[in-house]
Amino acid sequence: MAGKKREPKDCRDDEKTITHFYKGIAPAVKGLVDSCKGDDCFHHLEPTPIPTQESATQIINQTRRILFPGFFTQTRLDALNLEYNLGQETTELFERLSKQIILSIKHECLRYDQPCSQCIQRAHETALKFIQALPDLRAILATDIRAALEGDPAAKSFDEVISSYPGLFAITVYRMAHKLFELDVPLLPRMMTEHAHSLTGIDIHPGAEIGESFFIDHGTGVVIGETTEIGKRVRIYQGVTLGALSLPRDARNRFKNKKRHPTIEDDVIIYSNATLLGAKAVIGARSIIGGNVWLTESVPPDTKILLKRPELVFIGNGKKTTNKFKPRRKK
Amino acid sequence: MAGKKREPKDCRDDEKTITHFYKGIAPAVKGLVDSCKGDDCFHHLEPTPIPTQESATQIINQTRRILFPGFFTQTRLDALNLEYNLGQETTELFERLSKQIILSIKHECLRYDQPCSQCIQRAHETALKFIQALPDLRAILATDIRAALEGDPAAKSFDEVISSYPGLFAITVYRMAHKLFELDVPLLPRMMTEHAHSLTGIDIHPGAEIGESFFIDHGTGVVIGETTEIGKRVRIYQGVTLGALSLPRDARNRFKNKKRHPTIEDDVIIYSNATLLGAKAVIGARSIIGGNVWLTESVPPDTKILLKRPELVFIGNGKKTTNKFKPRRKK
Amino acid sequence: MAGKKREPKDCRDDEKTITHFYKGIAPAVKGLVDSCKGDDCFHHLEPTPIPTQESATQIINQTRRILFPGFFTQTRLDALNLEYNLGQETTELFERLSKQIILSIKHECLRYDQPCSQCIQRAHETALKFIQALPDLRAILATDIRAALEGDPAAKSFDEVISSYPGLFAITVYRMAHKLFELDVPLLPRMMTEHAHSLTGIDIHPGAEIGESFFIDHGTGVVIGETTEIGKRVRIYQGVTLGALSLPRDARNRFKNKKRHPTIEDDVIIYSNATLLGAKAVIGARSIIGGNVWLTESVPPDTKILLKRPELVFIGNGKKTTNKFKPRRKK
């Protein structure tokens, strides 16, 4: 399409009018500055900035490179240069993580007018504890990887699981964030899990307690709330919600930091789009929850719960047909 | 694993064969060029390029930095440098936005053979109107932030809501895009909301009308269609669809720009994975729609709608068990 | 808030303590290196690195620029410079793709101790075949674009569909990945579809077989499994799962590479959050599957399947109300 000659002249001519509009910017900026003084502007005008999503993402990626050496680097890694590589990555991670923890702690201190005593020291201490915990993180993630390989017939190799599976990524980030959550780091852990949520559609709160060999298949739409407890060798599918029952608005504050989410015991399987709500929902060991089930109560161990097959209405060209009829398999 | 010595010789040797394959590229390129002449190639060979997702994303991020000063910058921001910062960001935004609006308008003109009269001027005018509207955007977003803090017991502070909540991000982008939609900017608004959809799993069409104090929790899978109307203080959860009833293929064009989506009145709560379809679905004020409910009709005000508790089949090791039995709480 | 003067002194003072913590890093690194020798560390210490998500993403974006000339570039493209542009992009793609296929093949060879015979040559051959297939990819994607424009009343133009629709992006990436899957490229295809899954919430396995004029609306939560077969002119909505029935753990390996997923014949429509599971689920041509339907069996052609309207409990301020009552339409 020779659109060029169709382009109207004035599109080039009225360039000069731009200056007119520039005059309008100054008052607009003034309006923006003024509106910052009112209650309707949430700003963060502080001596120390708040941690950014970018830094949370860098911490996730660098920790992941350390946990799974050679999987997320273009550069060649072998048994010989491994120690240098890990040494450098770990030192960088220590600095990067310390800095963001400092920002997170100072931010809390300023926000809540607490004395910010020893917060730099606390931050470095916490960063070191996190790094010292990485071998254990590696070990529990190894159980998650094996669970994925065992749980999914489409899984070709553990390399595929590590490099491509969103469920493993979400669990990896959750396990990092949960460690920082346990070490009382504010803000940063939630930023990390929200990064995973954004990439995978899997929303795991850093406060949840999740045992080894955890597998999430597909994962989009999964929600695991703050006070959820999950045992060992549990498997869940896309769209599963482990959530809270809603509270009367007044009651809400009393419920902060109270158990509000389900407990899933060992070896439970929960199929796609099942919804389990509230602290009363304790799913006994080895039980199976079918797809689309909606539960707010307890289930004994070794129990299989299925939605009673819903009645379907078949309307075949006018007349009601049954589904006995078997069509030829598509070639 | 000393994989090195296991690496077969020929992997290094047959490097030279590459030239052979390069010979195949020229005809392949010719094939690609030729296929551009047919109907089966959608191309955009125009004097002006189309706006890109990158530019839409830059506009979103810069506007967000202006709306929430200090939250999304690594650099320190305080009451003293605020004005300079806002002045610079706003000027940049004006130029960036004007440029993309010009591309969007010219693109429409060329596509539909309309006279592109004064389109540069119109673009600058529109960009300025958008910037002038930012204080009001800030004010309504403040109501959304407070609604999130009130609506979610897990929310620790408004800083956490602003920096981490996907629901707030999706609503922020929607409110920007809706403003541009009201100013008749083509293409760009939808690109902006699709960026939010991609990051959050929340799909809000720029054309929807949404009142203040809107809260979306978790959000993955939420769909809010083009002609949806939502009142004040409405709360919805993950997987909620406010969609259109499907139309007979012939009828479809007649229905463009007609009301096709639900109306949600003030103070309504819609729980996870509920599906409301069609313009006839008018949900009266203060009503509550339970999880998994599927509705295509109206609901009076002050009404609570729940799915009748579905019958569950309990299969406990062979014999049917009830769910009276309470297992010991997992320690 | 003049937070500055509120910032506690010691926050600046104890900077020196940092050296103390640095001493802790060396042993931590040692621990990380040692843990690499055990079974609980998955590493990739090989002479050739594994393909990275970044490279998979670059291949997707460059192929997309070639398939839809002018849509995803800021630089102006017209009939005159088109050939140069396609020539350069295609040559780059050939090199980039060959390199990643080499890594994928070598990786398989090393992992499974296979002789890596002619793998560089095979890689270049495969990359060329992929490039030669691009005109056909363009042609089938043109049918998908038209299907989107016809299927969605909110769609304003094919430019909007191409530049903004997540469903089209997911299908585009699937069709690229499926071609590489057919050419027996390991690892890379799944990395590509996982990139699309991450951006769109649509999870299509590269092994699925999907006919022309395929449309996915909204798409978040869609899952299409490895052995799914989909005919022509099929339309599906957000949250639709075409999945496998779960297998007893022992049976799982026997089922790898066996048909485990549904077959959808021509002109079928599947509405939001419907779940179809297992190879036995063969949906006959022109059938319609309603929202939230859960199916594991066959359906004859020309059949409409709806969930029997679930009983709803209406609780209007105390007394049970009906939904005859029509509230005034919200203004």
Side-chain angles (χ1 to χ4, degrees):
Chain A
M1 319 174 189
K4 192 172 184 181
K5 73 173 181 322
R6 264 167 45 218
E7 181 176 24
K9 264 234 143 335
D10 60 8
C11 279
R12 251 171 272 78
D13 290 351
D14 59 11
E15 285 287 14
K16 55 188 88 60
T17 64
I18 185 168
T19 50
H20 160 68
F21 293 105
Y22 267 100
K23 295 209 184 70
I25 292 176
V29 171
K30 176 126 189 20
L32 280 161
V33 174
D34 293 344
S35 101
C36 276
K37 290 160 189 152
D39 291 348
D40 284 349
C41 174
F42 286 100
H43 57 71
H44 192 275
L45 305 179
E46 304 286 358
T48 47
I50 194 169
T52 62
Q53 193 56 63
E54 290 66 33
S55 47
T57 303
Q58 288 167 340
I59 287 165
I60 287 169
N61 293 337
Q62 187 155 42
T63 306
R64 195 163 69 131
R65 288 198 301 272
I66 294 170
L67 288 170
F68 303 113
F71 272 101
F72 303 103
T73 51
Q74 286 284 25
T75 61
R76 164 184 165 163
L77 208 59
D78 61 28
L80 301 170
N81 61 15
L82 176 63
E83 181 156 7
Y84 308 127
N85 172 278
L86 286 179
Q88 191 211 15
E89 292 268 31
T90 308
T91 313
E92 269 176 40
L93 176 61
F94 175 75
E95 285 174 10
R96 178 171 275 140
L97 184 56
S98 301
K99 184 175 170 222
Q100 296 307 317
I101 297 176
I102 290 169
L103 296 183
S104 303
I105 294 178
K106 283 193 177 185
H107 170 270
E108 286 277 288
C109 299
L110 293 168
R111 225 18 129 200
Y112 303 113
D113 262 323
Q114 300 159 353
C116 188
S117 64
Q118 306 292 322
C119 65
I120 289 179
Q121 187 163 342
R122 271 171 53 213
H124 287 110
E125 210 173 312
T126 307
L128 185 57
K129 280 184 185 154
F130 178 80
I131 283 164
Q132 288 164 337
L134 291 180
D136 293 345
L137 264 188
R138 234 184 217 164
I140 192 164
L141 284 167
T143 68
D144 300 322
I145 292 163
R146 293 192 187 97
L149 197 58
E150 188 190 58
D152 177 12
K156 301 279 176 293
S157 68
F158 63 73
D159 298 332
E160 188 186 49
V161 171
I162 294 166
S163 57
S164 303
Y165 273 44
L168 182 70
F169 181 76
I171 293 166
T172 303
V173 174
Y174 153 75
R175 298 211 185 271
M176 298 175 193
H178 181 63
K179 186 70 204 170
L180 293 171
F181 182 92
E182 287 178 323
L183 293 167
D184 292 318
V185 177
L187 266 176
L188 189 59
R190 177 64 184 264
M191 284 184 171
M192 291 167 70
T193 54
E194 277 305 333
H195 174 67
H197 182 194
S198 165
L199 290 185
T200 65
I202 299 169
D203 182 357
I204 311 180
H205 194 287
E209 306 270 350
I210 303 180
E212 63 176 50
S213 303
F214 184 48
F215 175 46
I216 303 174
D217 203 357
H218 307 298
T220 307
V222 164
V223 173
I224 300 177
E226 184 180 18
T227 64
T228 308
E229 294 161 86
I230 296 178
K232 299 173 180 176
R233 297 172 302 280
V234 167
R235 183 154 34 115
I236 73 179
Y237 289 82
Q238 67 271 19
V240 165
T241 292
L242 305 176
L245 285 164
S246 71
L247 307 164
R249 282 171 192 258
D250 47 40
R252 212 158 281 137
N253 287 321
R254 283 187 287 102
F255 274 83
K256 294 205 178 204
N257 315 319
K258 282 233 181 65
K259 169 88 170 168
R260 303 183 311 276
H261 300 89
T263 298
I264 314 299
E265 297 184 353
D266 298 345
D267 299 293
V268 166
I269 301 177
I270 307 175
Y271 286 112
S272 60
N273 302 311
T275 303
L276 282 59
L277 300 178
K280 286 220 186 72
V282 179
I283 310 306
R286 296 168 302 282
S287 288
I288 295 175
I289 310 298
N292 289 15
V293 165
W294 176 280
L295 259 186
T296 60
E297 62 223 61
S298 275
V299 168
D302 302 293
T303 307
K304 195 171 183 178
I305 296 199
L306 304 170
L307 220 48
K308 190 155 172 264
R309 191 181 171 300
E311 250 177 284
L312 301 176
V313 183
F314 289 72
I315 306 159
N317 38 29
K319 66 187 174 347
K320 185 178 178 312
T321 70
T322 77
N323 59 357
K324 297 283 172 295
F325 173 88
K326 285 260 169 297
R328 307 168 313 299
R329 264 291 273 101
K330 174 160 154 298
K331 233 324 75 275
Chain B
M1 320 174 187
K4 191 173 183 181
K5 73 174 180 322
R6 263 166 45 218
E7 181 176 24
K9 261 228 144 343
D10 60 6
C11 278
R12 252 168 273 80
D13 288 351
D14 58 12
E15 285 286 15
K16 56 187 88 59
T17 65
I18 184 168
T19 51
H20 161 68
F21 293 105
Y22 268 100
K23 295 208 185 71
I25 292 176
V29 172
K30 177 131 187 15
L32 281 161
V33 175
D34 293 344
S35 102
C36 275
K37 290 159 190 154
D39 291 348
D40 284 349
C41 174
F42 286 99
H43 58 71
H44 193 275
L45 305 179
E46 305 285 358
T48 46
I50 194 169
T52 62
Q53 193 56 62
E54 290 66 33
S55 48
T57 304
Q58 287 168 340
I59 288 166
I60 287 169
N61 293 337
Q62 187 155 42
T63 307
R64 195 163 68 131
R65 288 198 301 272
I66 294 170
L67 288 169
F68 303 113
F71 272 101
F72 303 104
T73 49
Q74 285 284 25
T75 61
R76 163 184 166 162
L77 209 58
D78 60 30
L80 301 169
N81 61 16
L82 176 63
E83 182 157 8
Y84 309 128
N85 171 279
L86 286 178
Q88 191 211 15
E89 292 267 31
T90 308
T91 313
E92 268 177 40
L93 176 61
F94 175 74
E95 287 176 7
R96 178 171 275 142
L97 184 57
S98 301
K99 186 177 170 220
Q100 295 307 317
I101 296 176
I102 290 170
L103 296 183
S104 303
I105 295 178
K106 283 193 177 185
H107 169 270
E108 287 277 288
C109 299
L110 293 167
R111 221 24 124 196
Y112 305 112
D113 263 323
Q114 300 159 352
C116 188
S117 65
Q118 305 293 321
C119 63
I120 289 178
Q121 187 164 344
R122 271 169 53 213
H124 287 111
E125 209 174 312
T126 307
L128 184 57
K129 280 185 185 153
F130 178 80
I131 283 164
Q132 288 164 337
L134 291 180
D136 292 346
L137 264 187
R138 233 185 219 164
I140 192 163
L141 285 167
T143 68
D144 299 323
I145 292 163
R146 295 195 185 94
L149 196 58
E150 188 188 57
D152 177 13
K156 302 277 175 294
S157 68
F158 63 74
D159 298 331
E160 188 185 50
V161 171
I162 293 166
S163 57
S164 304
Y165 274 44
L168 182 70
F169 181 76
I171 293 166
T172 302
V173 174
Y174 153 75
R175 296 209 185 273
M176 299 175 192
H178 181 63
K179 187 69 204 170
L180 292 171
F181 182 92
E182 288 179 323
L183 294 167
D184 292 319
V185 176
L187 265 176
L188 189 59
R190 178 64 184 264
M191 284 183 171
M192 290 166 72
T193 54
E194 277 306 334
H195 174 66
H197 182 194
S198 166
L199 290 186
T200 64
I202 299 169
D203 183 355
I204 310 180
H205 194 287
E209 305 272 351
I210 303 180
E212 63 175 52
S213 303
F214 184 49
F215 175 47
I216 303 175
D217 203 358
H218 307 299
T220 307
V222 164
V223 173
I224 300 177
E226 185 180 17
T227 65
T228 307
E229 293 161 86
I230 296 178
K232 300 174 179 176
R233 297 172 302 280
V234 168
R235 183 154 35 114
I236 73 178
Y237 288 82
Q238 67 272 19
V240 166
T241 292
L242 306 176
L245 285 163
S246 71
L247 307 164
R249 281 171 194 257
D250 47 39
R252 213 157 281 138
N253 287 322
R254 285 188 286 102
F255 274 84
K256 294 206 179 204
N257 315 319
K258 283 234 182 62
K259 169 89 170 167
R260 304 183 311 277
H261 300 90
T263 299
I264 314 298
E265 296 184 353
D266 298 346
D267 299 295
V268 167
I269 301 177
I270 307 175
Y271 286 111
S272 59
N273 301 310
T275 304
L276 282 57
L277 300 178
K280 287 220 186 71
V282 179
I283 309 305
R286 297 168 303 280
S287 288
I288 296 175
I289 309 298
N292 289 15
V293 165
W294 176 279
L295 260 186
T296 60
E297 64 224 59
S298 275
V299 168
D302 301 295
T303 307
K304 195 170 183 179
I305 296 198
L306 305 170
L307 221 50
K308 192 162 170 253
R309 192 180 170 300
E311 250 179 283
L312 300 177
V313 184
F314 288 73
I315 306 158
N317 39 28
K319 65 187 176 342
K320 184 178 177 312
T321 69
T322 77
N323 60 357
K324 298 282 173 294
F325 173 88
K326 286 260 168 294
R328 307 168 313 300
R329 265 288 275 99
K330 174 160 154 298
K331 236 318 78 274
Chain C
M1 320 176 186
K4 192 171 182 182
K5 73 177 181 321
R6 264 169 44 221
E7 181 176 24
K9 263 230 145 342
D10 61 6
C11 277
R12 251 171 273 80
D13 290 351
D14 59 12
E15 285 286 14
K16 57 188 88 62
T17 64
I18 185 169
T19 51
H20 161 68
F21 293 105
Y22 268 100
K23 295 208 183 72
I25 291 176
V29 172
K30 179 136 187 10
L32 280 161
V33 175
D34 293 343
S35 102
C36 275
K37 290 160 189 152
D39 291 348
D40 285 348
C41 174
F42 286 99
H43 58 72
H44 193 275
L45 305 179
E46 305 284 359
T48 46
I50 194 169
T52 61
Q53 193 56 63
E54 290 67 32
S55 48
T57 303
Q58 288 168 340
I59 287 166
I60 287 169
N61 293 337
Q62 187 155 41
T63 306
R64 195 163 68 131
R65 288 197 301 271
I66 294 171
L67 289 170
F68 303 113
F71 272 102
F72 303 103
T73 51
Q74 285 285 24
T75 62
R76 165 184 163 163
L77 209 58
D78 60 29
L80 301 170
N81 61 15
L82 177 62
E83 182 157 7
Y84 309 127
N85 172 278
L86 287 178
Q88 190 210 16
E89 291 268 30
T90 307
T91 312
E92 269 175 42
L93 176 61
F94 175 75
E95 287 175 8
R96 179 171 273 144
L97 185 55
S98 302
K99 185 176 170 220
Q100 296 306 318
I101 297 176
I102 290 170
L103 296 183
S104 302
I105 295 178
K106 282 193 178 184
H107 169 270
E108 286 276 290
C109 298
L110 292 167
R111 221 23 125 198
Y112 305 112
D113 263 322
Q114 300 159 352
C116 187
S117 65
Q118 307 293 320
C119 64
I120 288 179
Q121 187 164 340
R122 271 169 54 213
H124 287 111
E125 210 173 313
T126 307
L128 184 57
K129 280 185 185 155
F130 178 80
I131 283 165
Q132 289 164 337
L134 291 179
D136 293 345
L137 265 187
R138 235 184 217 164
I140 192 163
L141 285 167
T143 68
D144 299 323
I145 292 164
R146 295 194 186 96
L149 197 57
E150 188 190 55
D152 177 12
K156 303 278 176 292
S157 68
F158 63 72
D159 299 331
E160 189 186 49
V161 171
I162 294 165
S163 57
S164 304
Y165 274 44
L168 182 70
F169 181 76
I171 293 166
T172 303
V173 174
Y174 153 76
R175 297 209 185 274
M176 300 175 193
H178 181 63
K179 187 69 203 171
L180 293 171
F181 182 92
E182 288 179 322
L183 293 166
D184 291 320
V185 177
L187 266 175
L188 189 59
R190 177 64 183 263
M191 283 182 171
M192 290 167 71
T193 54
E194 278 306 333
H195 175 66
H197 181 196
S198 165
L199 290 185
T200 64
I202 299 170
D203 182 357
I204 310 180
H205 194 287
E209 306 270 351
I210 303 179
E212 63 176 52
S213 303
F214 185 49
F215 175 46
I216 303 175
D217 202 359
H218 307 299
T220 307
V222 164
V223 173
I224 300 177
E226 184 180 18
T227 64
T228 307
E229 294 161 85
I230 297 177
K232 298 172 179 176
R233 296 172 304 279
V234 168
R235 184 154 34 114
I236 72 177
Y237 288 82
Q238 67 272 20
V240 166
T241 292
L242 306 176
L245 286 164
S246 70
L247 307 164
R249 282 172 193 257
D250 47 39
R252 213 159 280 137
N253 287 322
R254 285 188 285 103
F255 273 82
K256 294 207 179 205
N257 314 320
K258 283 233 183 63
K259 170 87 169 169
R260 303 183 310 277
H261 300 90
T263 298
I264 315 298
E265 296 184 354
D266 298 346
D267 300 294
V268 167
I269 301 177
I270 307 176
Y271 286 111
S272 59
N273 302 311
T275 303
L276 281 58
L277 300 178
K280 287 220 186 73
V282 179
I283 310 306
R286 297 169 303 281
S287 288
I288 296 175
I289 309 298
N292 288 14
V293 165
W294 176 279
L295 261 185
T296 60
E297 64 225 61
S298 275
V299 168
D302 302 294
T303 306
K304 194 171 183 180
I305 296 200
L306 304 171
L307 220 50
K308 193 159 169 259
R309 191 180 171 302
E311 253 179 280
L312 300 177
V313 183
F314 289 72
I315 306 158
N317 39 27
K319 63 185 177 347
K320 186 178 178 310
T321 68
T322 77
N323 59 355
K324 298 283 173 293
F325 174 87
K326 286 261 167 295
R328 306 166 316 298
R329 265 289 275 100
K330 174 159 155 297
K331 234 323 73 272

